[in-house]
Amino acid sequence: MIDNEPGAPSGPAAPPEAPDPSRPLDAGEIADAHERRADDVIRRKQEERVRTAIQSELSEDDADAAPRPRAEDPGPLEDAVIELERVYLSFDRPILEDVSFAAFPGETVVIVGESGTGKSTTLKLILRLLQPDSGRVYVSGNDIAGLSFTEALAVRQKMGMVFQSAALFDSMTVFENVAYPLREHTDLDDDEIEARVRQKLEFVDLTPDEVMDRLPAELSGGMKKRVGIARGMANNAEIMLYDEPTSGLDPLTTATITRLIMKLQRELNVTSIVVSHDIRSAFRMGTHIALLADRSIRFFGTPEEMAASDDRYIRDFLGGF
C-alpha cells in the first residue's frame, strides 16, 4: 500500500492495489482525487489551446491556397468528370441519403457494398435514367437534372455502358452489335464503321475476322463481356460505366476483363465508374473505392487506405481479403 500519511518519504510509487469499493476514502485519498481532477482540467485546457492554434494555422494556409468548394457549396468541383453532390433518392423507401463523391479524368471509381445498397441505382443517376429527389449529378461540370430529353441523349454519347449480362442483341452479329451505336449516333460511312469496329475489337483482344460474323449465342461469357466493352467504346466514350463486369466469370476471364478496364484507363485516359462485388478485382482496377452502406458513402479512398482502415464494418466487409 502507498503511505498517504503526512511526511511519508517521496520516491517511485509502487502500483496501487485495487481499491475496496466498500471502504470509505480517507482525507488523503479525497485530496488526491481532487488533485487528479484539477490536473485533468488543466491538461484538457492545454490540449484545447493546441488544437485551436493548429486550426488557426490551417485556416490561414487555406486562405492563401486556391479555394476548394465545401460540401455545402453548390456547384461542381473543378475538373471533376462525374460528381454526385449530396444526392437523396427514395422510392417506397429511402435508397440513397446524402451521397457525395467525384471521379476525375482517368480515374476508375469502383462502387462496392452489400446487395440492395443502391450501387446500380447510382449508375442510373449518372445516365439520367433516374433523377434524385434532391442534390445534384454533374457530368463534365454540367448539372444533368435540368436537361431536356435531347440534351440528355447528347450527354450519354460521352458514355459507354457495359451491362451485367453484356446485353448484346441476340439476333445481331458481333459486327452489328458493335456498329449499332455508330449507325445510330454518327455520320460515319460503312468503311469508316467497319474500321472502327475492327479497332475496338482488337483493343479488347478479339480477332475481328474470327468473331465479327458470330452471333452472341456462339460466344463464351468472357467474349460476350469483351464485345460489350467494345460496343461501349465504339463512340470513343470519355466515360465508361460498368455494372458487375466480372459477374459469373471464371478467375482467368475475370482477370482478363479487369486488365481491359485498366488498359482503358492507362492508354485512353478513360474515366470509369464500376459497380462490383468482386473485391479483388476492385482493388486491382480501382484508383478509388466508394463503399455504400446504410444508404450513404461509408468510405471513399484508395484501395490501400481501405485495406488499412480500422473501421469495424469495413474490416468485416473485406473479410479475409
Side-chain angles (χ1 to χ4, degrees):
M1 292 290 291
I2 298 175
D3 190 353
N4 289 316
E5 293 298 326
S10 60
E17 296 179 0
D20 180 359
S22 62
R23 181 181 64 82
L25 297 177
D26 60 29
E29 290 171 328
I30 293 175
D32 287 344
H34 288 169
E35 185 174 350
R36 284 195 298 272
R37 282 197 292 271
D39 289 342
D40 286 343
V41 171
I42 293 171
R43 177 178 52 79
R44 286 196 296 269
K45 287 183 177 180
Q46 290 173 336
E47 291 175 350
E48 182 61 30
R49 283 196 295 269
V50 171
R51 282 195 296 268
T52 301
I54 293 173
Q55 290 169 354
S56 177
E57 289 181 11
L58 290 174
S59 298
E60 291 174 3
D61 291 342
D62 289 342
D64 296 334
R68 179 178 177 84
R70 301 185 304 276
E72 63 271 19
D73 288 339
L77 287 169
E78 185 177 354
D79 297 329
V81 178
I82 293 172
E83 182 189 358
L84 273 67
E85 179 188 80
R86 312 200 71 172
V87 165
Y88 287 78
L89 178 70
S90 63
F91 298 126
D92 296 332
R93 60 182 178 82
I95 305 297
L96 300 174
E97 295 181 346
D98 201 19
V99 168
S100 299
F101 70 86
F104 290 84
E107 291 186 343
T108 298
V109 174
V110 185
I111 304 174
V112 299
E114 299 178 58
S115 298
T117 52
K119 300 185 299 297
S120 296
T121 299
T122 303
L123 294 183
K124 293 176 182 177
L125 287 165
I126 295 170
L127 283 164
R128 201 181 170 276
L129 298 175
L130 294 173
Q131 293 199 56
D133 298 327
S134 65
R136 293 178 174 85
V137 179
Y138 296 101
V139 176
S140 299
N142 298 310
D143 185 357
I144 63 175
L147 300 182
S148 67
F149 178 76
T150 303
E151 291 169 333
L153 285 178
V155 169
R156 290 185 195 130
Q157 298 317 304
K158 300 179 179 181
M159 306 182 193
M161 179 71 202
V162 179
F163 299 92
Q164 182 171 347
S165 58
L168 301 178
F169 298 110
D170 293 337
S171 59
M172 292 184 178
T173 65
V174 167
F175 173 81
E176 292 166 337
N177 266 282
V178 179
Y180 181 81
L182 300 175
R183 297 193 191 283
E184 289 290 311
H185 304 296
T186 74
D187 296 325
L188 298 178
D189 60 33
D190 288 346
D191 289 341
E192 292 171 321
I193 287 175
E194 181 175 350
R196 180 77 65 84
V197 171
R198 287 179 175 275
Q199 178 193 37
K200 300 310 179 186
L201 289 173
E202 289 172 352
F203 189 88
V204 298
D205 299 327
L206 292 173
T207 303
D209 290 334
E210 293 181 2
V211 301
M212 286 202 305
D213 293 330
R214 294 190 191 182
L215 292 171
E218 301 175 279
L219 305 176
S220 67
M223 293 174 73
K224 289 179 183 178
K225 289 288 179 73
R226 283 187 275 174
V227 172
I229 293 173
R231 184 178 63 183
M233 295 167 52
N235 270 343
N236 292 329
E238 303 168 14
I239 300 166
M240 289 291 289
L241 308 177
Y242 302 85
D243 192 1
E244 298 287 359
T246 61
S247 176
L249 301 179
D250 62 83
L252 290 177
T253 308
T254 293
T256 298
I257 299 302
T258 300
R259 283 196 300 270
L260 280 176
I261 295 173
M262 296 167 67
K263 183 179 178 182
L264 277 167
Q265 176 202 358
R266 183 176 61 252
E267 297 186 12
L268 302 181
N269 202 42
V270 171
T271 303
S272 300
I273 306 292
V274 184
V275 165
S276 181
H277 280 98
D278 187 340
I279 295 299
R280 291 186 181 275
S281 292
F283 272 41
R284 284 191 63 198
M285 73 177 83
T287 56
H288 292 81
I289 307 293
L291 173 61
L292 271 174
D294 297 325
R295 301 177 296 280
S296 62
I297 298 292
R298 180 68 176 261
F299 169 87
F300 186 86
T302 66
E304 294 79 10
E305 290 168 342
M306 188 176 191
S309 174
D310 292 328
D311 184 280
R312 178 62 181 273
Y313 179 83
I314 294 175
R315 303 307 306 167
D316 289 345
F317 179 80
L318 293 179
F321 177 77

